[in-house]
Amino acid sequence: MDDQADEDFRAFMHGRWQAMVRLAYALTGDRGHAEDLAQTAFARAYASWRRVSRAGNPESYVRQIVINENRKRFRKRRVAEHLTDRLPDRGGAGGGVGEHDDRAVLMAVLASLGPRQRAVVVLRYLLDMTEAETASALGCSVGTVKSQASRALVRLRQSAALLDGGRQ
Amino acid sequence: MSTDDEIDVRQRLDRAFGTLTAHPAPVEQTIKQGGQMRSRRRKAALAGLAVVAAVAVAVPFTLLGRAPARPHLLARQHVVTVHPAAARQARKEGLIAWGSVDGEFWQLRVNNPDSAGLQCVLGMLVNAKCGNGLKLSGHEPAKLGKFYQATRHGRVTFVYGPVSVDVTYVKVSLTTGTVLTLHPVPVEGVRQVGFAAPRGTIGRVTAYSRRGVLATLKIVVWSP
């Protein structure tokens, strides 16, 4: 690849790295996995950078890879999730104490959802995607997105930790 | 499920993940990894080609002609790229265009939701109200539209402007020899183009319709 395209990619990755790690973290619940996932997604985008940049929305391309790779992770390992009472990721993150508590509570609640429900919540409410966009990204129907979102919100509402003040 | 629940979840997710800080981007390692992926793909493609070539051996003439000599690449002082925003980003985020100037990521977007002005992003710097509406000097044919200069971020100048419906694309010639191609993006009902370039390198802007050249504008950038 020529220098110009490399420079373009470098600038893009510097600009969108944090956002992709956040998305991957919300999906996986593990910072190490999240950074690996984001790096893989950027590497795959680099491998096809000419085509990706011509398409005009490299961010969407990388985001889709993160979502797909996360789905594959579950498919390969069948049930790779370990539901736990321990709040994950206790140290080192950015943000204040309140934000960290909120994140830990949220991660615990998200971990209690199934992979698809969690993905629906993250795409619909963290990335603010429409139901149609979420369905397209997850390869399912709009009806499935609606029902999964509805069930996930019921679960989240039932969670006293989240809705009765996770920071108490 | 209620709208209140949805709003509550949105706010909590934003608050919880918005402040998460990752390690620095492993750019060089990623480029190496991506390069390896690409070379694996190429090897696979070459293997396929070898099979085709083996089949073509029986054909008296070679299938591939002599490749033309590659043009000599001139050394450029600056590396500038521009990409139009995707339709969704233009619609939802007011993004006009993005790209890089000498390795720094830039974006031009109309501030949402109040349309109070233009937002220029250069690397980690965000200038929320950079659209000073300063009209660029030079002849302005009505068919082309008007171009404005946004506040400069140090050595980079941002230029943006609405173009008429006839314009299918716009070419910007920089004094370094680079030619940028801009594709109009509808942002808040107006077809707009925008780009960023190193200070003092913007030369001529030419608008094209489907039939050919519509108008040419020689830009004179204001400098304090």
Side-chain angles (χ1 to χ4, degrees), chain A residues 98-123:
Chain A
E99 286 151 358
H100 182 270
D101 286 350
D102 225 12
R103 191 185 307 145
V105 169
L106 259 174
M107 289 313 298
V109 176
L110 285 176
S112 72
L113 302 176
R116 180 173 274 189
Q117 274 184 6
R118 185 197 300 177
V120 167
V121 168
V122 171
L123 299 192

Side-chain angles (χ1 to χ4, degrees), chain A residues 2-146:
Chain A
D2 58 36
D3 288 347
Q4 186 171 331
D6 270 5
E7 285 306 307
D8 218 6
F9 176 80
R10 279 192 182 91
F12 168 67
M13 187 169 170
H14 276 302
R16 304 313 302 156
W17 170 251
Q18 295 278 352
M20 288 304 150
V21 172
R22 270 178 213 141
L23 166 64
Y25 182 58
L27 290 172
T28 62
D30 181 285
R31 178 166 303 206
H33 279 322
E35 292 190 356
D36 284 350
L37 206 58
Q39 188 178 340
T40 304
F42 276 104
R44 287 182 55 183
Y46 178 80
S48 312
W49 183 243
R50 230 180 277 272
R51 182 170 54 81
V52 173
S53 58
R54 255 204 311 267
N57 194 353
E59 185 168 353
S60 156
Y61 183 89
V62 174
R63 189 191 301 141
Q64 188 63 52
I65 298 174
V66 169
I67 294 165
N68 291 348
E69 290 292 319
N70 183 56
R71 247 188 335 188
K72 271 190 215 166
R73 202 169 63 93
F74 280 102
R75 228 180 273 147
K76 276 180 195 164
R77 298 182 191 173
R78 299 280 171 174
V79 184
E81 288 233 313
H82 308 288
L83 300 183
T84 171
D85 292 336
R86 270 178 43 223
L87 299 181
D89 198 35
R90 302 290 303 177
V97 172
E99 286 151 358
H100 182 270
D101 286 350
D102 225 12
R103 191 185 307 145
V105 169
L106 259 174
M107 289 313 298
V109 176
L110 285 176
S112 72
L113 302 176
R116 180 173 274 189
Q117 274 184 6
R118 185 197 300 177
V120 167
V121 168
V122 171
L123 299 192
R124 283 281 289 124
Y125 305 119
L126 180 64
L127 299 189
D128 213 14
M129 288 166 80
T130 63
E131 283 166 345
E133 286 165 344
T134 305
S136 163
L138 296 177
C140 61
S141 69
V142 172
T144 305
V145 169
K146 283 182 182 171

Side-chain angles (χ1 to χ4, degrees), chain B residues 114-131:
Chain B
D114 57 354
S115 300
L118 199 75
Q119 187 185 73
C120 301
V121 177
L122 182 67
M124 302 302 282
L125 297 171
V126 178
N127 188 342
K129 295 261 167 94
C130 69

Side-chain angles (χ1 to χ4, degrees), chain A residues 4 8 10 13 17-18 22 31 35 39 48 58 102-103 125 128 133 153 157 162-163 167, chain B residues 1 5-6 8 10 12 15-17 20-23 28 30 41 76 81 83 88 92 98 100:
Chain A
Q4 186 171 331
D8 218 6
R10 279 192 182 91
M13 187 169 170
W17 170 251
Q18 295 278 352
R22 270 178 213 141
R31 178 166 303 206
E35 292 190 356
Q39 188 178 340
S48 312
D102 225 12
R103 191 185 307 145
Y125 305 119
D128 213 14
E133 286 165 344
L153 283 179
R157 198 194 301 139
L162 180 64
L163 295 181
R167 297 205 216 192
Chain B
M1 180 171 69
D5 284 347
E6 291 187 317
D8 185 53
R10 257 192 197 106
R12 282 172 187 273
R15 201 166 50 228
F17 294 108
L20 182 78
T21 310
H23 291 112
E28 296 311 319
T30 305
R41 276 186 209 162
R76 289 191 195 130
T81 63
H83 304 278
R88 180 178 175 272
K92 291 191 78 173
W98 63 275
S100 69

Side-chain angles (χ1 to χ4, degrees), chain B residues 112-175:
Chain B
N112 267 336
D114 57 354
S115 300
L118 199 75
Q119 187 185 73
C120 301
V121 177
L122 182 67
M124 302 302 282
L125 297 171
V126 178
N127 188 342
K129 295 261 167 94
C130 69
N132 58 12
L134 184 69
K135 217 157 55 166
L136 294 172
S137 343
H139 180 53
E140 290 183 358
K143 282 179 179 177
L144 178 57
K146 289 174 181 164
F147 282 85
Y148 299 94
Q149 178 184 345
T151 307
R152 281 180 287 102
H153 270 306
R155 57 194 175 75
V156 174
T157 303
F158 286 87
V159 173
Y160 68 103
V163 293
S164 68
V165 288
D166 303 335
V167 176
T168 49
Y169 64 97
V170 174
K171 288 207 171 204
V172 179
S173 306
L174 303 185
T175 53

Side-chain angles (χ1 to χ4, degrees), chain B residues 6-201:
Chain B
E6 291 187 317
I7 292 169
D8 185 53
V9 170
R10 257 192 197 106
Q11 285 172 347
R12 282 172 187 273
L13 286 168
D14 278 347
R15 201 166 50 228
F17 294 108
T19 53
L20 182 78
T21 310
H23 291 112
V27 178
E28 296 311 319
Q29 205 183 332
T30 305
I31 286 179
K32 196 176 164 192
Q33 192 182 341
Q36 285 167 349
M37 282 179 188
R38 198 172 48 225
S39 62
R40 275 199 299 272
R41 276 186 209 162
R42 277 188 187 153
K43 278 177 191 165
L46 280 175
L49 199 65
V51 173
V52 173
V55 172
V57 155
V59 180
F61 300 103
T62 177
L63 293 175
L64 302 171
R66 189 176 160 189
R70 293 186 69 178
H72 176 65
L73 293 175
L74 293 172
R76 289 191 195 130
Q77 287 177 309
H78 298 284
V79 181
V80 183
T81 63
V82 60
H83 304 278
R88 180 178 175 272
Q89 282 185 303
R91 195 177 59 246
K92 291 191 78 173
E93 299 167 23
L95 185 67
I96 300 172
W98 63 275
S100 69
V101 172
D102 293 334
E104 276 197 286
F105 180 72
W106 64 263
Q107 278 187 338
L108 260 175
R109 64 173 76 225
V110 174
N111 281 346
N112 267 336
D114 57 354
S115 300
L118 199 75
Q119 187 185 73
C120 301
V121 177
L122 182 67
M124 302 302 282
L125 297 171
V126 178
N127 188 342
K129 295 261 167 94
C130 69
N132 58 12
L134 184 69
K135 217 157 55 166
L136 294 172
S137 343
H139 180 53
E140 290 183 358
K143 282 179 179 177
L144 178 57
K146 289 174 181 164
F147 282 85
Y148 299 94
Q149 178 184 345
T151 307
R152 281 180 287 102
H153 270 306
R155 57 194 175 75
V156 174
T157 303
F158 286 87
V159 173
Y160 68 103
V163 293
S164 68
V165 288
D166 303 335
V167 176
T168 49
Y169 64 97
V170 174
K171 288 207 171 204
V172 179
S173 306
L174 303 185
T175 53
T176 56
T178 303
V179 178
L180 306 174
T181 304
L182 318 178
H183 294 279
V185 171
V187 178
E188 301 201 338
V190 182
R191 298 174 82 238
Q192 306 222 36
V193 292
F195 64 96
R199 187 179 179 182
T201 62

